[in-house]
Amino acid sequence: MKAFYGDLKLGILGGGQLGRMLIQQAINYNVTVKVLDPDREAPCRKLCEEFTVGSLSDYATVYNFGKKVDLLTIEIEKVNVDALEQLEREGVLVYPQSRVIRLIQDKGLQKQFFKENDIPTAEFQIISSPEQLKNSIIPFPYIQKLRKDGYDGKGVYKVVSEDDLTGAFTEPSLVERWVDFEKEIAVIVARNESGEIKTFPMVEMEFNPQANLVEFLIAPSTLPFEVQQEAEQIAKKIADDLKIVGLLAVEMFLDKSGKILVNELAPRPHNSGHQTIEGNTVSQFEQHLRAIFNQPLGDTACLNNAIMINVLGEPGHEGPAVYQGIEKVLKCAGVNIHLYGKALTKPFRKMGHVTIVDADREQAIEKARYVQKTLKVIS
């Protein structure tokens, strides 16, 4: 393999904020980056060496883009996997591997993988028609998830009683027992080609119920050490069972009885790892690059208490983005603002994130609440 810091050309499928933050780290490693994205105004457009506008789901577009690079990675799973398989056959390195992306694109296959590999997860049933849904063996209430194309809370529907079935998805989906959870937790794990595996310390998440997005993330967790250890062991086992090369975000529930259940996987940098930029010795973005370049994985230790807040577009605002209250929050010590370069805002669109670091956990949380109240994206 070419030296990553020399003549290696890295391709990223997807030009959103995850790709942008990956490029920011790649610049430190002197890596040449090319990006493919359907949006000519994508956040990556000004940071990469070459930006190509094109569909991520079109075979020829992905294949032709892949032929121009030595190593291909993703910042979104919704890509043409057939093209990736062909590129692999022709010697282009694709990390995470096409078979991993294919598995994770389909929530039904993902659940089957958990079952076959003894990964703890909520009881589920795979459904292919409204008729099957009506006769589901999973009792009410349950969650219906589209097998494909759901993301950021889309493609998820809660069924409390028979009355809700009229609004249910008719496409292939799965139904999953409703988990009465205590906490949503996540572990990001990395694995390189040599088989070295490292996890970032477990984080706790708070969701925005309206948008169904992570709004507030706390690291390190103060949950019992045994819970953290078990969550990290589960993430390591999944990375090892998959033999993935790259980063894997493992989203989990901690239920009321203290049992950990795996919810979903994302084979890429993830929203639950943004705080690692300021909060950990190595960031998730650097760790992903180290993993795909088959370099030694970095030390993932937390440097401080870190709270991450997503900066979402305000309800009722659509148009050119205006950031209100930015000067006020910049006066607070330990506040780190990351704007994603999206020109237009719309309700609940991810426009940036803020990480607050503080030696005092309670103070960090207090500052985070202040930032949440003060920094608004309007139009």
Side-chain angles (χ1 to χ4, degrees), residues 3-284:
F4 68 85
Y5 49 81
D7 46 6
L8 180 134
K9 293 184 186 70
L10 174 66
I12 303 175
L13 295 176
Q17 62 265 20
L18 298 174
R20 182 183 171 100
M21 288 182 271
L22 200 55
I23 294 170
Q24 286 170 333
Q25 180 57 49
I27 288 167
N28 290 347
Y29 279 164
N30 192 39
V31 177
T32 301
V33 181
K34 299 175 188 288
V35 172
L36 173 69
D37 193 89
D39 178 7
R40 60 181 65 255
E41 295 301 316
C44 281
R45 71 195 185 281
K46 291 177 181 169
L47 269 70
C48 57
E49 174 132 325
E50 194 178 301
F51 183 74
T52 304
V53 178
S55 167
L56 298 171
S57 52
D58 179 68
Y59 179 96
T61 305
V62 172
Y63 174 79
N64 292 330
F65 176 78
K67 289 303 283 179
K68 299 191 293 187
V69 301
D70 303 300
L71 198 165
L72 203 50
T73 192
I74 61 167
E75 64 109 56
I76 184 170
E77 296 91 293
K78 202 179 163 186
V79 296
N80 190 300
V81 182
D82 294 336
L84 298 184
E85 279 182 348
Q86 185 55 36
L87 288 163
E88 282 173 328
R89 282 193 284 269
E90 293 177 20
V92 176
L93 292 174
V94 179
Y95 292 142
Q97 304 91 317
S98 61
R99 59 175 176 78
V100 173
I101 300 170
R102 193 182 288 286
L103 175 90
I104 289 173
Q105 276 181 347
D106 183 333
K107 290 191 170 72
L109 291 179
Q110 207 180 123
K111 280 285 196 181
Q112 294 283 30
F113 168 81
F114 295 157
K115 198 173 172 181
E116 286 160 17
N117 291 277
D118 298 319
I119 310 289
T121 193
E123 187 190 351
F124 70 96
Q125 182 186 356
I126 290 173
I127 299 289
S128 54
S129 67
E131 197 50 46
Q132 273 187 308
L133 183 65
K134 219 150 105 190
N135 303 315
S136 164
I137 57 167
I138 309 285
F140 297 123
Y142 58 72
I143 292 286
Q144 183 191 19
K145 292 179 178 178
L146 287 179
R147 285 184 68 167
K148 294 199 165 181
D149 297 343
Y151 70 98
D152 274 357
K154 296 172 180 71
V156 177
Y157 182 68
K158 187 177 179 182
V159 180
V160 178
S161 69
E162 213 155 308
D163 299 346
D164 296 317
L165 290 174
T166 48
F169 302 121
T170 53
E171 302 96 316
S173 59
L174 62 95
V175 293
E176 194 178 89
R177 186 185 282 275
W178 173 257
V179 178
D180 187 19
F181 61 84
E182 189 67 42
K183 264 282 180 228
E184 299 222 27
I185 56 178
V187 172
I188 289 179
V189 58
R191 181 183 177 277
N192 65 17
E193 206 188 353
S194 302
E196 185 188 3
I197 296 177
K198 277 196 181 174
T199 54
F200 283 89
M202 187 190 96
V203 299
E204 299 171 30
M205 294 180 284
E206 279 183 25
F207 272 66
N208 177 317
Q210 271 179 290
N212 200 15
L213 291 172
V214 175
E215 184 167 52
F216 203 74
L217 181 143
I218 306 173
S221 169
T222 52
L223 287 169
F225 176 70
E226 303 76 55
V227 172
Q228 299 186 44
Q229 208 174 24
E230 189 190 342
E232 287 172 31
Q233 284 310 120
I234 290 169
K236 281 178 180 169
K237 176 174 162 43
I238 296 172
D240 198 38
D241 289 345
L242 279 174
K243 298 283 181 276
I244 188 173
V245 174
L247 214 60
L248 183 71
V250 183
E251 295 180 75
M252 299 174 249
F253 297 122
L254 177 67
D255 75 8
K256 296 270 199 270
S257 67
K259 190 171 164 40
I260 294 174
L261 299 169
V262 176
N263 179 25
E264 283 176 12
L265 306 177
R268 50 169 172 78
H270 190 257
N271 197 243
S272 62
H274 290 347
Q275 81 294 340
T276 59
I277 298 172
E278 286 88 18
N280 295 64
T281 310
V282 71
S283 76
Q284 65 164 342

